[in-house]
Amino acid sequence: MGTKRHFRVWRGDDTGGSLQDFQVEVNEGEVVLDVIHRLQATQTPDLAVRWNCKAGKCGSCSMEINGKPRLGCMTRMSTFADNETVTVTPLRTFPVIRDLVTNVNFNYQKARELPAFAPPKDLEPGEYRMQQVDVERSQEFRKCIECFLCQNVCHVIRDHEENKPAFSGPRFFIRASELDMHPLDTRTDRKELAQAEQGLGYCNITKCCTEVCPEHIKITDNAIIPMKERVVDRRYDPVTWLGRKIFRRDQLDDPTAGRAAATGTSVATRSGDPATADTSAGWHQEGPLPQAAPVGPDGKLTVAELYLDRAAAASPFGDDQEFPLPPEKLRYQHPSAPDGDAHGHR
């Protein structure tokens, strides 16, 4: 038999509402969403709440519990004192539809405004291999479950409704950052778009979005701050400014062109010749030499490929390398091929 607990739940719609008090049974091991469901079943059958998986993976049951944005299905009742009143309200940043359900269309509108992933044209399966370090850098951002708690807690739009047209919010900053890091994304203007269209400059990195993320994504440290730094490098770095005065635009878009012209050396290409190494702009080290053709004559991976711990190339770090890698060994720039187009893509 459970114990009775005091709940205050916001009831109302877009025209107004108020907090209502309830005494509801709570059993050991339950979460807030369990109690909300019990309220629906026993006292308020018309209580509106959005939920789906009840496993912390769909992001549907976002709400504010005792003033903090959380997932109802991941907030255990055991975290509250026995005599503590649990207050449940809808997300404050978005318009209320009814009770605990809010209209989050703002986020889907911003998602449509963000340019999609743009792979290189004419890239055939097996022609390109991503380094594991490139995969790991952006993998963190793909954990986002779109609960929009980070959007809700961001004071740029939480406290200033007028900022919404010009500000995308942290959820879409990590998406832009992920695509900007992706070696296969051919768009070179994501930094400019983040500054001019997404309102990156509005963010003053208070890290409130990171604090509420249920997937523990380091939104500020790993996405927003690096993107801000890349924007500053692109727009305000004096060396970059001087380079724009000296080199042609195509040399600036392909950093290897200016370096090759200055040294009189040629840059290795991805021409398929196993004797040439794949080098990339700013990586300061040669890529691994191919050990075998990426695919067989039939266009499929060979049996040997399927059983190797790495595909068609030796490890660029060595088998004795410990992870995580030190910063000086991380590869921060997108691969480029001087035999391709102006952006270094085939």
Side-chain angles (χ1 to χ4, degrees), residues 56-133:
K57 293 302 177 185
C58 73
S60 299
C61 61
S62 300
M63 56 186 70
E64 296 193 7
I65 303 171
N66 284 4
K68 182 177 180 179
R70 310 185 191 190
L71 293 179
C73 68
M74 298 300 289
T75 305
R76 295 199 169 274
M77 289 300 301
S78 58
T79 60
F80 305 105
D82 292 341
N83 60 349
E84 184 177 359
T85 298
V86 180
T87 303
V88 184
T89 56
L91 298 180
R92 185 178 121 184
T93 301
F94 308 114
V96 172
I97 296 176
R98 201 184 79 184
D99 298 340
L100 303 180
V101 178
T102 55
N103 185 342
V104 294
N105 283 348
F106 163 81
N107 303 285
Y108 298 110
Q109 175 186 342
K110 293 301 178 181
R112 287 193 294 270
E113 294 173 0
L114 181 65
F117 174 71
K121 295 180 179 179
D122 305 322
L123 186 67
E124 298 295 333
E127 285 188 353
Y128 198 101
R129 301 300 174 85
M130 286 178 63
Q131 297 290 342
Q132 182 61 33
V133 67

Side-chain angles (χ1 to χ4, degrees), residues 23-45:
Q23 292 294 324
V24 59
E25 178 183 328
V26 175
N27 299 312
E28 184 178 358
E30 288 187 330
V31 296
V32 170
L33 187 59
D34 291 324
V35 180
I36 296 298
H37 286 166
R38 184 169 291 114
L39 274 175
Q40 286 181 316
T42 60
Q43 301 183 48
T44 58

Side-chain angles (χ1 to χ4, degrees), residues 34-330:
D34 291 324
V35 180
I36 296 298
H37 286 166
R38 184 169 291 114
L39 274 175
Q40 286 181 316
T42 60
Q43 301 183 48
T44 58
D46 60 339
L47 175 64
V49 60
R50 181 183 285 131
W51 70 283
N52 188 21
C53 74
K54 201 176 176 293
K57 293 302 177 185
C58 73
S60 299
C61 61
S62 300
M63 56 186 70
E64 296 193 7
I65 303 171
N66 284 4
K68 182 177 180 179
R70 310 185 191 190
L71 293 179
C73 68
M74 298 300 289
T75 305
R76 295 199 169 274
M77 289 300 301
S78 58
T79 60
F80 305 105
D82 292 341
N83 60 349
E84 184 177 359
T85 298
V86 180
T87 303
V88 184
T89 56
L91 298 180
R92 185 178 121 184
T93 301
F94 308 114
V96 172
I97 296 176
R98 201 184 79 184
D99 298 340
L100 303 180
V101 178
T102 55
N103 185 342
V104 294
N105 283 348
F106 163 81
N107 303 285
Y108 298 110
Q109 175 186 342
K110 293 301 178 181
R112 287 193 294 270
E113 294 173 0
L114 181 65
F117 174 71
K121 295 180 179 179
D122 305 322
L123 186 67
E124 298 295 333
E127 285 188 353
Y128 198 101
R129 301 300 174 85
M130 286 178 63
Q131 297 290 342
Q132 182 61 33
V133 67
D134 291 321
V135 177
E136 290 172 351
R137 290 185 68 220
S138 59
Q139 186 67 35
E140 174 187 14
F141 307 133
R142 299 191 190 112
K143 296 191 301 181
C144 176
I145 60 176
E146 295 200 326
C147 60
F148 304 129
L149 293 181
C150 61
Q151 300 284 89
N152 174 67
V153 78
C154 181
H155 61 273
V156 176
I157 52 178
R158 184 182 178 96
D159 299 329
H160 302 278
E161 183 73 20
E162 67 276 11
N163 287 339
K164 284 186 176 181
F167 188 76
S168 293
R171 190 280 172 262
F172 302 103
F173 290 153
I174 68 173
R175 176 61 176 161
S177 185
E178 173 200 340
L179 292 173
D180 192 49
M181 294 175 180
H182 201 297
L184 282 180
D185 185 63
T186 59
R187 292 194 68 106
T188 59
D189 60 348
R190 295 200 182 275
K191 290 175 280 291
E192 287 77 7
L193 287 171
Q195 178 71 12
E197 304 294 335
Q198 292 185 269
L200 182 65
Y202 283 74
C203 172
N204 55 8
I205 56 176
T206 57
K207 298 190 178 183
C208 49
C209 52
T210 301
E211 292 177 3
V212 300
C213 179
E215 289 294 317
H216 308 291
I217 302 172
K218 295 181 179 179
I219 300 172
T220 311
D221 291 339
N222 291 354
I224 296 179
I225 292 177
M227 183 64 99
K228 279 177 171 283
E229 291 172 344
R230 293 196 291 274
V231 169
V232 170
D233 288 344
R234 184 103 171 179
R235 295 170 65 94
Y236 306 112
D237 189 301
V239 175
T240 303
W241 177 86
L242 182 61
R244 292 184 181 277
K245 297 294 183 181
I246 296 175
F247 297 111
R248 301 190 309 270
R249 182 179 297 275
D250 60 339
Q251 292 175 328
L252 293 171
D253 288 337
D254 182 2
T256 60
R259 186 169 67 250
T263 61
T265 59
S266 61
V267 182
T269 67
R270 280 193 291 120
S271 61
D273 182 0
T276 60
D278 175 18
T279 59
S280 302
W283 285 17
H284 309 299
Q285 57 178 316
E286 289 188 348
L289 290 172
Q291 304 298 306
V295 294
D298 59 353
K300 299 180 180 179
L301 288 174
T302 64
V303 174
E305 281 276 295
L306 296 175
Y307 286 96
L308 283 177
D309 60 344
R310 60 184 68 91
S315 169
F317 310 111
D319 292 332
D320 58 345
Q321 178 66 56
E322 295 184 0
F323 289 87
L325 292 172
E328 61 271 13
K329 289 193 176 182
L330 291 178

